Amino acid sequence: GTVMKSTNGGDFWFPITGGLDLDQEFYQIICDHNTPGVVYLSSQYDGIFRSQNGGETWTPFNTCLLEIQPGANNNVTNP
């Protein structure tokens, strides 16, 4: 899989995959509208990732998840 970004309305796309294992699918990307540059990404095997620089680099963000596979997180524990 890959994750792509456009900064010109979709005329040109480029990969934003720093820190991601590309041997999996990526399902959903969510932008934090309250904090510019913060983006969340769900993945097939490695759970959730967060980027604090608009997708340039990604780090795991799985704190409090019981399972990191999609569809397996019916309950969340408190930190």
Side-chain angles (χ1 to χ4, degrees):
T2 193
V3 183
M4 306 288 284
K5 177 179 180 176
S6 176
T7 57
N8 62 1
D11 288 335
F12 176 76
W13 292 85
F14 55 93
I16 52 170
T17 55
L20 298 175
D21 175 5
L22 301 182
D23 287 332
Q24 62 185 324
E25 294 179 11
F26 300 101
Y27 297 121
Q28 189 171 25
I29 191 165
I30 299 171
C31 298
D32 183 338
H33 296 288
N34 296 314
T35 311
V38 174
V39 185
Y40 298 90
L41 174 69
S42 63
S43 69
Q44 182 177 10
Y45 300 123
D46 296 330
I48 306 299
F49 288 88
R50 178 175 64 179
S51 173
Q52 296 184 43
N53 53 17
E56 210 172 300
T57 56
W58 298 91
T59 55
F61 192 73
N62 294 309
T63 303
C64 298
L65 296 181
L66 297 177
E67 300 287 337
I68 62 171
Q69 293 183 342
N73 294 296
N74 297 326
N75 298 305
V76 178
T77 60
N78 292 324

